[in-house]
Amino acid sequence: MSAHDIGEVRRFDHPGKGRERMRPTPKGRQVDPRAKVEIEALLGDRSRQRDLLIEYLHLVQDTYGQISAAHLAALADDMSLAFAVVFETSTFYWHLDVLK
């Protein structure tokens, strides 16, 4: 690297074909729009703090009689948590009925 290269902007060429190789759908678990609306209506204007997760899981269980994977994904999205965190928390407690 010479002294004149320091201020020079170099073009970055992406290996492969770049955007042409993108997936047709986004990575990760997709949120069911109906479940998202149901979770948003259920939680209303309540705080989305992480420490309220178990309370909200109980609320979903009490309202629907079970907790579906779609509701888990919607709850994770609404609370800005990873799906794995919500799933692991819900399956840890035996009194929560998590269904696929």
Side-chain angles (χ1 to χ4, degrees):
M1 183 177 201
S2 64
H4 67 278
D5 289 339
I6 293 174
E8 182 180 328
V9 177
R10 292 190 230 169
R11 186 168 176 264
F12 174 76
D13 292 323
H14 190 280
K17 294 186 178 183
R19 289 194 169 267
E20 292 176 6
R21 297 179 64 200
M22 287 182 62
R23 297 174 185 239
T25 58
K27 289 173 60 176
R29 183 168 301 273
Q30 303 306 301
V31 178
D32 179 8
R34 189 178 73 181
K36 183 168 180 64
V37 168
E38 291 173 350
I39 292 295
E40 287 174 349
L42 188 62
L43 298 185
D45 61 351
R46 293 181 171 117
S47 173
R48 300 306 199 258
Q49 291 175 249
R50 181 186 180 118
D51 59 338
L52 297 172
L53 176 59
I54 295 171
E55 181 179 331
Y56 294 160
L57 288 168
H58 280 285
L59 185 60
V60 173
Q61 168 98 12
D62 293 344
T63 303
Y64 298 103
Q66 64 188 13
I67 304 173
S68 68
H71 283 132
L72 287 177
L75 184 61
D77 184 65
D78 198 50
M79 294 184 72
S80 299
L81 297 172
F83 178 80
V85 170
V86 177
F87 178 78
E88 292 293 326
T89 303
S90 65
T91 56
F92 179 78
Y93 296 98
W94 62 271
H95 55 275
L96 295 173
D97 299 320
V98 180
L99 302 177
K100 187 173 183 180

